Amino acid sequence: MQNFPGVGVSPGRIIGNVRQMPKPISEPPAGEQLSAGVTPEDATAALKAASQAVHDELKGRAAHATGDGKAVLEATALMAKDTMLIKGAAKLVARGLSTERAIWESGSSVSEMLHNLGGYMAERATDVLDVRARIVAELRGVAAPGIPSSSTPFVLVAEDLAPADTATLDPNKVLALVTAGGGPQSHTAIIARSLGLPAVVAAVGVDELPDGTEVYVDGAAGTITSDPDDSLRAAADAWAATASLLAEFSGTGTTADGHLVPLLANVGGGKDAVAAAKLGAQGVGLFRTEFCFLERDSEPTVEEQAAAYKSVFDAFPGKKVVLRTLDAGADKPLPFLTDSTEPNPALGVRGYRTDFTTPGVLDRQLEAIALAEKQSEADVWVMAPMISTAEEAARFASMCADAGIKTPGVMVEVPSAALTAEAILREVGFASLGTNDLTQYAMAADRQLGPLAALNTPWQPAVLRLVGLTVEGSRAEGHNKPVGVCGEAAADPALAVVLTGLGVTTLSMTARSLAAVAAVLKTVTLAEAQQLAKLALSAPSATEARAWVREKLPVLNELGL
Amino acid sequence: MPERTATIASRSGLHARPAALFAEAAGNAGVEVTISMQGEPADEALDAASILSLMTLGAAKGDVVVLRADGDGADQALDALVTLLETDLDAE
């Protein structure tokens, strides 16, 4: 047995076999020539054989896929042996370039051409680059990039996962996610929680485990153990039994003494919203509207947007839906809004700030929201991301009023907003703490960076203090304006208790976490939660804050959370 | 050289699924088939079996294209491909 400690980001105890995510295909050096003794004719034949092999592999996968996935795989398979791509490469090979470099350059020019055509064609440009990488991998005799295909479920081990990888991640094939890099707020963590998969990030050394190694993954404790013994097998079996108990949420978030804490869901679109409603969510605490915009080259029309928003509102008739206006920039660039050349995108023109540089997009979004609200029965609240000052909050509130939106609010994710919450809440109706960004900015630690994972946790006493200050600001303002949490922190059952104790009024999370949070919350009284909040605030470090609180919540261990 | 004209019937034009189906059929035709927009010179025609070429052609619903092929079975192959183009493949 060998142990790999990391950071647990999604609970669950499971045993499975490792499949390593292949490393990304590196670019063949510019000007790389054919090896001595290889004729261009032989090289071209090898290129054609590789392209045929990639075609056959993709075609084979298409045969097992359904719907849109099938159509995309079939089209991608055809691209692999497309004459435009292959003839372009063959011409370069005839001039002496290596096959890898030739297909790389041919793929670049085809992809650029499609990109310049815009619209649907531009969206296919990345497919050409994917095909190109697969052909290079075939020529080199290494594994194709992307999530490995396997007939049996496996533990996926990677350096880190990109948002694009999630599109091909089949939750029926993947038992758990383990990454050597990444932090608690990385995409891997978010994906794992939304799919309900156990996950551990920042586990140094796991990328050296050979394919097929049997491992035990504990997503709550944050450990990976190779060649597990009988006691770990028993732990995995016990989890399988309790997991089914944690799948049900009654639909009312409350403490043991009846203090109500509505438990809401974070959603990205209509499909998510329907699933969240089925899991008992009491409303939506964060509707990330940029998911309607991503992978678009141009702004969707007001009508298109309204239809997308309505699909979420319709899943929660009579209930609260908090919509966050477009949060583009940093790790979510949009070609028509954000400048990709900024030296420091996390501190750049992102979120609400894009309205400074590209006015009009936000006005049209608010118009679309108001239009969708009229056609639905949801109680619609609208908040702006990345608000830093009371002045910005006032301006956003007046934009909302102009559009006919009744309940404007702000995200508190910039520390300055937490510190001036009283002044900000005089301008708007509510605040919602985005703990992921609040942590990244309070700790000055990029949330995507593995080496900074220890800094990047909402258990940091400084972050908890900012949460407390925001609640105090609301109390000082005097109108009981709600302060919710919609970051990943709310999905951690122990932290959810602390946040409740700090005075947070609602918790919004990935719908899969609702049952676990509700189960733990109902074991404590409000007074006990307040005691635990004090305890966490008094801790000298994030590690101790977490350990001290968890020690007082034995229910966590009983449930394997 | 035998040639035919055809009017694109698929709602999304010669993109996406219709393009994939057509490119595959052209690739299996047994003869080399080219495609161009009506009115464009024959020597600028594109390989009909290339999905990437079809995408760059940018033919929309209602556009008229010209298919050309030479050799044994060219006429039959062209007839079959015209039928395919004049079917709304998005409807299936």
Side-chain angles (χ1 to χ4, degrees):
Chain A
M1 292 209 301
Q2 193 186 351
N3 252 308
F4 300 87
V7 179
V9 292
S10 180
R13 293 167 179 163
I14 212 150
I15 288 179
N17 296 313
V18 165
R19 284 297 298 270
Q20 293 280 351
M21 178 99 164
K23 302 251 183 293
I25 297 296
S26 59
E27 177 176 351
E32 186 182 70
Q33 299 294 301
L34 281 176
S35 308
V38 178
T39 65
E41 290 71 30
D42 289 349
T44 304
L47 180 65
K48 285 190 173 155
S51 103
Q52 184 69 42
V54 171
H55 166 269
D56 294 348
E57 209 266 326
L58 292 171
K59 187 95 186 166
R61 278 170 51 186
H64 298 290
T66 50
D68 286 351
K70 187 187 185 75
V72 169
L73 280 168
E74 280 174 346
T76 317
L78 280 177
M79 284 180 196
K81 59 167 193 181
D82 195 278
T83 48
M84 184 185 269
L85 185 68
I86 302 303
K87 277 186 186 162
K91 271 186 200 159
L92 296 169
V93 168
R95 282 193 244 142
L97 221 51
S98 75
T99 48
E100 287 101 315
R101 183 68 204 178
I103 192 73
W104 192 270
E105 289 186 11
S106 177
S108 295
S109 58
V110 171
S111 153
E112 195 176 320
M113 192 170 70
L114 291 177
H115 187 80
N116 291 339
L117 287 168
Y120 173 82
M121 265 72 76
E123 289 165 29
R124 300 276 74 81
T126 50
D127 297 348
V128 175
L129 297 181
D130 176 55
V131 159
R132 167 181 85 169
R134 287 175 180 280
I135 296 175
V136 172
E138 183 72 28
L139 287 166
R140 287 179 181 164
V142 300
I147 291 170
S149 61
S150 163
S151 54
T152 52
F154 55 93
V155 173
L156 181 64
V157 180
E159 169 52 32
D160 198 5
L161 293 177
D165 296 324
T166 59
T168 51
L169 198 156
D170 176 357
N172 296 319
K173 285 287 164 60
V174 177
L175 296 167
L177 298 177
V178 174
T179 61
Q185 327 273 10
S186 65
H187 287 291
T188 305
I190 295 170
I191 295 157
R193 280 189 286 255
S194 71
L195 295 175
L197 292 174
V200 178
V201 301
V204 176
V206 287
D207 45 348
E208 304 299 329
L209 286 168
D211 272 350
T213 310
E214 196 179 34
V215 291
Y216 167 78
V217 179
D218 186 330
T223 54
I224 295 105
T225 312
S226 61
D227 307 312
D229 62 11
D230 287 346
S231 72
L232 294 182
R233 283 179 201 284
D237 289 345
W239 166 261
T242 49
S244 58
L245 297 176
L246 287 173
E248 292 285 329
F249 169 47
S250 70
T252 307
T254 173
T255 60
D257 55 337
H259 170 68
L260 294 179
V261 185
L263 301 182
L264 315 172
N266 295 349
V267 305
K271 223 165 120 188
D272 280 6
V274 170
K278 267 196 198 135
L279 289 168
Q282 293 174 263
V284 170
L286 172 63
F287 171 16
R288 302 183 174 99
T289 56
E290 57 277 5
F291 282 85
C292 312
F293 289 75
L294 285 178
E295 290 170 22
R296 300 273 309 221
D297 277 344
S298 58
E299 183 189 343
T301 64
V302 167
E303 288 70 28
E304 278 178 87
Q305 291 185 48
Y309 305 153
K310 187 172 181 293
S311 70
V312 171
F313 299 167
D314 284 350
F316 289 94
K319 296 194 177 154
K320 179 162 100 172
V321 175
V322 184
L323 186 148
R324 176 177 72 188
T325 58
L326 199 51
D327 187 20
D331 56 338
K332 291 169 292 211
L334 279 182
F336 55 95
L337 262 186
T338 55
D339 171 7
S340 57
T341 63
E342 279 180 356
N344 209 341
L347 302 182
V349 179
R350 57 169 297 204
Y352 168 76
R353 301 166 176 185
T354 55
D355 192 55
F356 306 163
T357 49
T358 318
V361 177
L362 181 55
D363 283 314
R364 287 186 289 276
Q365 185 178 25
L366 293 174
E367 183 190 339
I369 295 165
L371 182 66
E373 184 186 12
K374 271 190 214 118
Q375 301 164 357
S376 82
E377 289 162 43
D379 177 16
V380 177
W381 297 21
V382 183
M383 61 185 179
M386 290 295 290
I387 291 289
S388 311
T389 65
E391 199 184 357
E392 287 175 354
R395 183 168 170 272
F396 180 69
S398 86
M399 289 174 83
C400 283
D402 290 348
I405 289 163
K406 290 182 286 289
T407 315
V410 298
M411 290 279 289
V412 173
E413 46 197 342
V414 181
S416 67
L419 297 167
T420 59
E422 182 187 343
I424 285 178
L425 280 166
R426 272 193 219 114
E427 307 295 345
V428 292
F430 70 99
S432 182
L433 288 143
T435 46
N436 306 355
D437 273 330
L438 186 62
T439 305
Q440 131 161 308
Y441 293 128
M443 306 310 295
D446 188 328
R447 55 196 264 208
Q448 311 292 344
L449 294 181
L452 304 181
L455 285 174
N456 234 321
T457 153
W459 281 101
Q460 288 287 353
V463 176
L464 297 177
R465 208 151 296 181
L466 288 168
V467 172
L469 282 172
T470 309
V471 172
E472 280 172 32
S474 164
R475 287 182 184 151
E477 191 276 336
H479 290 88
N480 281 324
K481 292 185 176 173
V483 175
V485 167
C486 64
E488 293 293 316
D492 173 342
L495 204 44
V497 169
V498 170
L499 295 169
T500 302
L502 286 170
V504 161
T505 52
T506 57
L507 297 169
S508 188
M509 65 203 77
T510 174
R512 297 256 187 193
S513 301
L514 290 165
V517 168
V520 174
L521 198 58
K522 74 175 180 207
T523 65
V524 295
T525 63
L526 179 59
E528 284 164 347
Q530 286 164 342
Q531 279 304 317
L532 289 172
K534 264 190 202 150
L535 185 68
L537 282 175
S538 71
S541 72
T543 315
E544 279 152 304
R546 182 172 186 265
W548 291 0
V549 170
R550 289 185 67 91
E551 199 191 328
K552 302 270 184 194
L553 289 170
V555 62
L556 293 171
N557 240 332
E558 286 161 28
L559 294 175
L561 292 169
Chain B
M1 187 192 281
E3 61 173 68
R4 302 279 189 285
T5 58
T7 308
I8 307 293
S10 293
R11 267 167 267 168
S12 64
L14 205 44
H15 296 153
R17 191 161 168 275
L21 291 171
F22 179 75
E24 182 132 53
N28 293 332
V31 287
E32 277 195 26
V33 183
T34 67
I35 185 168
S36 59
M37 301 296 278
Q38 192 174 43
E40 282 180 2
D43 58 357
E44 282 177 25
L46 301 165
D47 180 356
S50 160
I51 185 169
L52 295 168
S53 298
L54 294 177
M55 284 162 61
T56 60
L57 187 69
K61 178 178 161 61
D63 283 349
V64 180
V65 296
V66 182
L67 300 179
R68 296 182 183 85
D70 218 351
D72 281 352
D75 283 300
Q76 281 157 300
L78 289 178
D79 288 338
L81 291 172
V82 166
T83 309
L84 198 56
L85 286 182
E86 299 200 328
T87 308
D88 182 358
L89 298 169
D90 288 318
E92 286 171 21

